[in-house]
């Protein structure tokens, strides 16, 4: 049976469509001859009938790209609540209740819910902002229906519809030209900044469908000409629909930080549970009952759970999101900020990303020697031989750039006056590759001509040597990636008959456009963004390589790359890249230097992202076109342009640049590094006082109960939630440390918790704080008359002294936290280099911490809840030097480390490979 699943029904009688049955095989080939394609689509030059179009619409569906299913609100919220650290906090809440402190268990639960809700709202807010950036396809299209021209909603187009397209229209569906010719802005789809010519009568010898001279693609724009075309694909079957589907084939991966946090959660859980379980037999040996040992084991587990870690990480990322928004970037996922900070390779598009997205005149040459400038007649010809209007921005971007150049040279002409005075317009002809206008001149009508250099030079009168020199100049300008046009004129004296308005007759055009006088050459380029060179230099300084992956011509892409400082050490065509196997592609990008990939298909960009990720690189892919969407989705972080980018690209990206400023990507790298540094800072801070909370339990267990427990479970919980949380949150607002962008990118495999961090927390500050806290506890007991093994429980003579001693331990840990907080502010440099008062939030948090500690010590309500009693006055004198001792120990370590390391960390140059 013939497969007709994807074939529209035949035309209704009277539409003029052929009655032949389409061949078996499914979707017809749009590149086959137009007559055969019309037959296969059951259509004709007169289009479809209204009833036939309605039947096809019901069969094929609306002409809109399939959208990814929106994430369920509850599913997104559940994802926040089931995060490993959230689960760990929930376990801590259960343990707190089991320890008899339901109030604190409830407080932990509130922290989890608030943290999850905060992260959820951040992501939802970003998603709504992106969705509000607008639609991409045109709302209406002109078609032939029932043998008449009518305007229909673009969403109701069906295969077989005959479109009527003209300058200024946006192509609403994939179609094949039937007649006429167009200049098409296909930059959103191909990445090429120069309009391309599409002609119904041109031979189709292109290697890929995107370059076919007879095919039009949904979403591209008509900048000149007029044509009729038959729709052969709509909705998800268009090139845009296919790319959108390709972009959604992979679920979102975890960011490097998310992966590391899961590892940290497992590590913390294992340590906490392991220590708690190990304490049970030790407690029994020390003389506790099994029930007492279990209760203290629960307290020990709670002591090892850093309740403030997850909310602090979320706040750090949220602060990064807000900072990025202030710098022109909209972050759709909190973790994207950190991912950008760990970027090792940036793959950037050219058009609209490195460039302004608008053409500019960058080189002009006269007809004489190479150094001679063009004369006034050259600029007059550019001003007259045009149909664009700079006031409204209507017309071919190239023509608008030429008019801007003419105006700057003093030859500007008002578009309305120009059109009113014009005698004849020969529109751009794809076969002739030029256009001409007959305009009034001081001595009579003048024919102005501009077009492709080969076409114009063939019609100019030039000596052989001069022609060769001009051709060399054209080659040199094209070799720099410029779009080159030749400009010429024909004076009235040359042939008055040819310059007469009767030359508008098509048969007389050849005579008119011959015997021309060359006026000069003009080279145009979509120029680099002014901020791009500095942004690229910052990337190189930070050890990040930048590759250009563009749909544009290789010479143009390489020229732009070199202008902004990208190495362009190797330039490869997309077809060559497509022929590489996966191992070959990985080896290619493992080489030294930076690469320019030209005429890259969407699949090529996707393969490049995967190849770099397979090598362990963290890949940021920037772009603004539809063709960028798959790679934006598959990269570690996709960065889309919000102002000039397409909706498909914005939906696929995780970061949208609302100002289209490529320098914002570099700002994002810096912000991401700052966020990651701050995550490590508060991890050092939190881990720094885990040891002084653990050592009291070990002292009790290892002494066999001779030393009473130096601190109670409720006091530890008060430290973790009362005095610990605010300084940790304040450290997430720490400004960037000097030299942040001088470091090479961290490896993907590097853990968020490093051995050096553990050395500082558990090998330096932790032991100092543990010795100070436990020593002060023993000092208070001894001064109160205690001896090892003496009873300190309720009703004993030493019970008040014991409560004072545990309160002293509590106060000592809080005092040491102050020193740990100042020490954790820097990873390598001295505290003096960042300034003591530069993080005022931390100063406020430490003040609040001390107020909370004072309340816990002196308020009767807190005394009864936490088991505290104000200690003797001399204890407070002992507390004063403790912050300095803890901070000084770490400051000395960092000073020794700086003395042994180079003063500056130089990243490997991009050309050195990785």
């Amino acid at each position: 049976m013939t497969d007709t699943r994807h074939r529209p029904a035949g035309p209704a009688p009277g539409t003029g469509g052929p009655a032949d049955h389409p061949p078996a095989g499914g979707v017809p080939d749009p590149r086959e001859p137009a007559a055969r394609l019309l037959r296969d689509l059951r259509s004709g030059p007169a289009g479809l009938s209204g009833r036939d179009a309605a039947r096809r619409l019901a069969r094929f569906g609306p002409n809109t790209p399939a959208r990814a299913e929106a994430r369920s609100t509850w599913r997104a919220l559940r994802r926040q609540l089931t995060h490993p650290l959230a689960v760990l906090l929930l376990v801590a809440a259960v343990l707190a209740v089991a320890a008899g402190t339901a109030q604190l268990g409830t407080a932990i639960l509130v922290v989890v819910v608030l943290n999850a809700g905060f992260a959820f709202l951040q992501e939802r807010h970003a998603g709504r902002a992106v969705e509000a950036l607008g639609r991409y396809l045109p709302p209406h299209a002109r078609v032939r229906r029932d043998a008449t021209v009518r305007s229909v909603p673009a969403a109701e187009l069906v295969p077989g519809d005959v479109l009527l397209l003209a300058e200024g229209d946006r192509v609403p569906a994939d179609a094949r030209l039937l007649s006429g010719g167009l200049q098409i802005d296909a930059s959103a789809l191909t990445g090429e900044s120069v309009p391309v010519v599409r002609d119904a009568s041109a031979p189709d010898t292109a290697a890929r469908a995107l370059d076919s001279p007879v095919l039009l693609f949904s979403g591209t724009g008509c900048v000149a000409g007029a044509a009729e075309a038959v729709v052969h694909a709509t909705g998800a079957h268009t090139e845009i629909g296919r790319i959108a589907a390709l972009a959604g084939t992979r679920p979102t991966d975890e960011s490097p930080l998310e992966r590391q946090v899961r590892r940290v959660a497992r590590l913390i859980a294992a340590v906490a549970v392991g220590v708690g379980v190990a304490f049970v037999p030790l407690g029994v040996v020390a003389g506790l009952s099994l029930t007492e040992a279990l209760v203290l084991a629960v307290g020990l587990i709670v002591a090892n759970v850093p309740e403030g870690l997850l909310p602090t990480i979320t706040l750090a990322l949220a602060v990064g999101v807000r900072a990025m928004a202030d710098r022109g970037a909209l972050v759709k996922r909190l973790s994207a900020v950190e991912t950008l900070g760990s970027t090792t390779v940036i793959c950037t598009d050219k058009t609209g990303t490195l460039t302004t997205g608008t053409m500019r005149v960058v080189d002009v040459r006269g007809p004489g020697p190479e150094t001679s400038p063009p004369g006034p007649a050259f600029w007059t010809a550019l001003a007259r031989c045009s149909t664009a209007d700079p006031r409204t921005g209507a017309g071919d971007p190239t023509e608008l750039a030429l008019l801007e150049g003419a105006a700057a040279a003093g030859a500007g002409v008002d578009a309305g006056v120009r059109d009113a005075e014009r005698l004849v317009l020969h529109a751009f002809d794809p076969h002739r590759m030029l256009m001409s206008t007959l305009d009034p001149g001081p001595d009579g009508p003048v024919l102005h001509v501009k077009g492709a250099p080969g076409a114009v030079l063939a019609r100019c009168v030039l000596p052989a040597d001069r022609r060769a020199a001009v051709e060399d100049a054209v080659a040199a300008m094209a070799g720099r990636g410029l779009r080159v046009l030749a400009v010429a004129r024909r004076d009235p004296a040359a042939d008055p008959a040819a310059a007469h308005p009767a030359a508008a007759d098509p048969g007389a055009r050849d005579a008119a456009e011959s015997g021309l006088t060359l006026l000069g050459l003009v080279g145009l380029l979509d120029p680099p963004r002014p901020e791009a060179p500095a942004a690229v230099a910052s990337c190189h300084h930070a050890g990040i390589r930048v590759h250009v992956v563009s749909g544009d011509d290789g010479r143009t892409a390489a020229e732009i790359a070199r202008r902004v400082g990208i190495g362009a050490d190797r330039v490869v065509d997309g077809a060559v890249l497509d022929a590489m196997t996966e191992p070959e592609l990985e080896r290619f990008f493992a080489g030294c230097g930076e690469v320019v990939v030209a005429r890259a298909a969407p699949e090529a960009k996707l393969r490049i992202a995967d190849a770099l990720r397979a090598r362990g690189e963290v890949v940021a892919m920037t772009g603004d076109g539809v063709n960028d969407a798959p790679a934006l989705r598959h990269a570690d972080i996709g960065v889309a342009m919000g102002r000039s980018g397409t909706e498909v690209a914005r939906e696929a990206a995780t970061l949208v640049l609302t100002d289209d400023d490529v320098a914002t990507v570099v700002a994002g790298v810096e912000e991401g590094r700052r966020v990651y540094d701050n995550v490590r800072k508060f991890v050092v801070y939190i881990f720094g006082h885990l040891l002084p909370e653990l050592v009291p339990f070990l002292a009790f267990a290892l002494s066999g109960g001779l030393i009473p427990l130096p601190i109670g479970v409720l006091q530890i919980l008060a430290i973790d939630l009362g005095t610990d949380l605010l300084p940790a949150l304040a450290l997430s607002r720490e400004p960037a440390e000097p030299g942040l962008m001088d470091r090479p990118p961290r490896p993907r495999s590097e853990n968020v918790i490093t051995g050096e961090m553990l050395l500082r927390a558990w090998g330096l500050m932790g032991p100092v704080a543990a010795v100070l806290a436990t020593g002060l506890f023993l000092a208070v007991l001894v001064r109160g008359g205690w001896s090892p093994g003496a009873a300190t429980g309720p009703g004993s003579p030493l019970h008040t002294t014991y409560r004072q001693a545990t309160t002293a331990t509590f106060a000592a840990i809080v005092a040491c936290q102050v020193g740990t907080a100042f020490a954790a502010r820097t990873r390598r440099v001295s505290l003096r280099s960042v300034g003591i008062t530069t993080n005022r939030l931390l100063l406020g948090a430490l003040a609040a911490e001390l107020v909370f500690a004072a309340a816990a010590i002196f308020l009767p309500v807190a005394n009864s809840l936490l088991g505290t009693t104000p200690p003797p006055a001399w204890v407070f004198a002992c507390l004063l030097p403790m912050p300095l001792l803890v901070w000084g120990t770490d400051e000395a370590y960092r000073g020794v480390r700086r003395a042994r390391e180079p003063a500056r960390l130089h990243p490997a140059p991009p050309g050195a490979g990785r």
Side-chain angles (χ1 to χ4, degrees):
M1 180 180 293
T2 301
D3 182 1
T4 59
R5 287 174 299 173
H6 304 289
R7 190 180 307 122
T15 62
D20 300 28
H21 290 285
V27 180
D29 180 7
R31 302 177 70 175
E32 64 187 2
R36 183 180 301 171
L37 179 62
L38 284 170
R39 181 200 67 187
D40 290 349
L41 290 171
R42 299 288 187 85
S43 184
L48 304 173
S49 70
R51 287 181 298 175
D52 191 9
R55 288 194 298 268
R56 298 187 187 207
L57 181 62
R59 181 174 185 179
F60 292 99
N63 177 38
T64 54
R67 291 181 174 273
E69 181 183 355
R71 177 182 294 166
S72 164
T73 299
W74 290 111
R75 188 184 309 167
L77 187 57
R78 186 173 67 249
R79 184 170 58 88
Q80 298 294 340
L81 290 172
T82 56
H83 189 281
L85 277 183
V87 173
L88 195 60
L89 289 178
L90 291 173
V91 172
V94 173
L95 295 178
V97 173
T101 56
Q103 300 92 335
L104 289 178
T106 302
I108 297 174
L109 183 61
V110 170
V111 168
V112 173
V113 173
L114 289 178
N115 173 66
F118 181 70
F120 167 75
L121 291 176
Q122 285 284 339
E123 294 193 9
R124 294 288 293 176
H125 174 73
R128 284 195 301 269
V130 172
E131 290 170 1
L133 289 175
R135 301 296 176 186
Y136 187 58
L137 295 178
H140 290 84
R142 288 192 307 145
V143 300
R144 291 192 189 278
R145 292 266 179 94
D146 296 313
T148 61
V149 177
R150 64 179 64 177
S151 176
V152 301
E156 296 181 6
L157 288 176
V158 294
D161 264 325
V162 173
L163 294 171
L164 280 72
L165 298 167
E167 179 179 322
D169 290 340
R170 187 171 289 276
V171 180
D174 286 4
R176 204 263 196 214
L177 285 174
L178 298 177
S179 63
L182 296 165
Q183 280 189 287
I184 297 293
D185 177 8
S187 59
L189 195 61
T190 66
E192 295 189 37
S193 55
V194 177
V196 295
V197 175
R198 296 292 180 256
D199 181 18
S201 59
D204 188 358
T205 58
R208 60 177 186 167
L210 282 176
D211 299 323
S212 170
V214 298
L215 295 186
L216 305 176
F217 295 97
S218 177
T220 58
C222 305
V223 296
E228 293 189 8
V230 60
V231 174
H232 66 82
T234 59
H237 298 289
T238 63
E239 185 69 12
I240 282 184
R242 186 184 67 83
I243 292 173
L246 189 63
T249 56
R250 175 181 293 179
T252 303
D253 290 339
E254 287 184 319
S255 74
L257 180 61
E258 288 172 326
R259 286 190 292 269
Q260 293 297 325
V261 166
R262 289 185 183 276
R263 294 180 185 177
V264 171
R266 289 193 292 267
L267 172 64
I268 292 174
V271 170
V273 174
V275 171
V277 170
F279 180 79
V280 174
L282 292 176
V284 173
V285 172
L288 298 176
S289 67
L290 181 60
T291 301
E292 293 173 329
L294 288 174
V295 171
L296 287 179
V298 168
L300 192 58
I301 293 175
V302 172
N304 279 279
V305 175
E307 287 82 2
L309 186 58
L310 182 59
T312 308
I313 289 177
T314 301
L315 182 63
L317 294 174
V319 168
V321 167
R322 289 196 295 272
M324 289 294 293
D326 292 339
R327 302 176 83 162
L330 179 66
V331 180
K332 296 168 64 177
R333 264 196 307 133
L334 290 179
S335 59
V337 177
E338 180 273 332
T339 306
L340 194 57
S342 61
T343 297
T344 60
V345 173
I346 294 177
C347 294
T348 177
D349 190 23
K350 178 188 72 69
T351 305
T353 307
L354 294 177
T355 67
T356 62
T358 56
M359 300 296 288
R360 293 287 184 273
V361 173
V362 296
D363 193 4
V364 291
R365 303 192 184 191
E370 189 172 313
T371 56
S372 66
F378 171 86
W379 297 110
T380 299
L382 288 181
R384 290 284 184 175
C385 189
S386 176
T387 58
D389 188 348
R391 294 173 304 177
T392 62
D396 184 342
T398 299
E399 287 202 352
L400 291 171
L402 294 175
L403 290 177
E404 182 181 345
V413 179
D414 180 83
V417 174
R418 175 199 66 198
D419 295 345
E421 294 179 346
R422 178 177 295 146
L423 303 174
V424 177
L425 168 64
H426 294 301
F428 177 83
D429 187 331
H431 295 291
R432 305 172 71 86
M433 297 300 293
L434 53 80
M435 72 172 291
S436 62
T437 59
L438 189 64
D439 306 293
D443 301 320
V446 179
L447 190 75
H448 295 118
V449 182
K450 77 171 188 290
V456 174
L457 291 177
R459 291 169 170 79
C460 289
V461 178
L462 281 174
D465 59 339
R466 185 70 256 144
R467 183 180 298 275
V470 172
E471 290 173 347
D472 289 343
V474 170
M477 295 170 73
R480 292 165 46 206
L482 306 183
R483 185 188 185 193
V484 185
L485 297 176
V487 183
R489 63 178 281 173
R490 183 184 175 98
D491 294 323
D495 185 352
H500 191 271
D505 185 295
R509 183 172 180 178
D510 273 333
E513 294 174 345
S514 62
L516 303 177
T517 300
L518 182 67
L519 298 178
L521 304 174
V522 57
L524 301 100
L525 188 70
D526 180 5
R529 289 179 174 271
E531 64 275 6
V536 171
S538 296
C539 288
H540 289 167
H541 199 62
I544 301 171
R545 289 198 292 175
V546 184
H547 301 311
V548 177
V549 186
S550 173
D552 212 339
D553 176 77
R555 292 179 302 183
T556 304
E559 173 67 15
I560 291 295
R562 295 187 181 102
R563 286 193 178 205
V564 301
I566 297 173
D569 305 285
R570 290 172 290 165
V571 180
V572 60
D573 190 81
V576 175
L577 209 70
D578 292 342
M580 295 182 184
T581 64
E582 300 302 327
E584 289 173 341
L585 191 62
E586 291 180 23
R587 287 194 296 270
F588 178 80
F589 280 97
C592 298
E594 293 172 323
V595 176
V596 172
V597 182
R599 297 194 177 279
E603 291 83 353
K605 294 187 175 186
L606 190 152
R607 292 182 67 215
I608 289 169
D610 285 345
L612 289 169
R613 284 163 52 90
R615 294 190 57 246
E617 307 282 5
V618 178
V619 183
M621 181 75 69
T622 73
D624 62 349
V626 173
N627 61 323
D628 299 318
L632 292 179
R633 178 61 61 89
H634 284 240
D636 290 287
I637 180 167
V639 184
M641 303 296 132
R643 185 178 300 168
S644 62
T646 63
E647 184 184 9
V648 174
R650 294 192 294 260
E651 287 184 347
T654 50
L655 183 69
V656 180
L657 305 183
T658 57
D659 56 2
D660 283 13
D661 189 345
V662 70
T664 307
V665 178
V666 180
V669 172
E670 181 178 5
E671 189 62 34
R673 291 188 176 189
R674 185 187 71 83
V675 167
Y676 197 82
D677 261 16
N678 287 349
V679 169
R680 286 182 159 176
K681 288 172 184 177
F682 60 66
V683 167
V684 169
Y685 169 75
I686 290 173
F687 279 25
H689 62 262
L690 290 182
L691 202 60
E693 293 179 2
L694 176 62
V695 166
F697 286 89
L698 294 178
F700 168 74
L702 296 177
S703 68
L706 295 178
I707 299 176
L709 191 63
I711 191 169
V713 174
L714 295 180
Q715 293 169 354
I716 288 178
L717 289 173
I719 291 173
D720 288 346
L721 291 178
T723 67
D724 186 28
L725 192 57
L726 287 180
L729 293 175
L731 283 172
S732 69
R733 303 295 297 270
E734 189 70 29
E737 192 170 329
L740 181 67
M741 291 297 285
D742 294 339
R743 309 174 193 164
R746 68 180 185 275
R748 179 189 287 268
S749 58
E750 183 177 285
N751 293 327
V752 67
I753 298 178
T754 64
E756 187 255 347
M757 293 169 60
L758 295 179
L759 173 63
R760 293 177 62 193
W762 291 348
L764 296 173
M765 292 182 286
V768 171
V771 169
L772 292 174
T774 306
L776 187 60
F777 168 76
L778 294 175
V780 173
L781 282 181
V782 171
R783 289 284 297 268
W786 172 84
S787 61
T792 57
S796 66
L798 292 174
H799 183 61
T800 299
T801 300
Y802 171 71
R803 286 171 61 103
Q804 291 178 328
T806 59
T807 304
T809 306
F810 169 84
I813 293 177
V814 172
C816 291
Q817 279 182 328
V818 175
T820 304
F822 279 109
R825 289 190 61 197
T826 62
R827 186 182 70 90
R828 181 179 178 275
V829 302
S830 65
L831 179 62
R832 180 180 179 182
S833 65
V834 299
I836 297 177
T837 61
T838 51
N839 189 343
R840 295 186 178 181
L841 284 176
L842 179 62
L843 298 179
L846 293 176
E849 175 183 13
L850 295 177
V851 170
F852 178 88
I857 293 173
F858 294 105
L859 289 182
V861 174
N863 295 157
S864 62
L865 177 66
L866 302 177
T868 55
T869 297
W874 63 268
V875 169
F876 296 100
C878 294
L879 296 175
L880 293 178
M882 288 187 181
L884 292 176
L885 290 173
V886 174
W887 165 78
T889 301
D890 188 68
E891 185 78 8
Y893 162 75
R894 283 181 281 114
V896 172
R897 186 180 172 209
R898 288 195 302 273
R900 293 181 177 179
E901 292 181 356
R904 185 178 178 183
L905 299 176
H906 291 283
R914 289 188 62 80

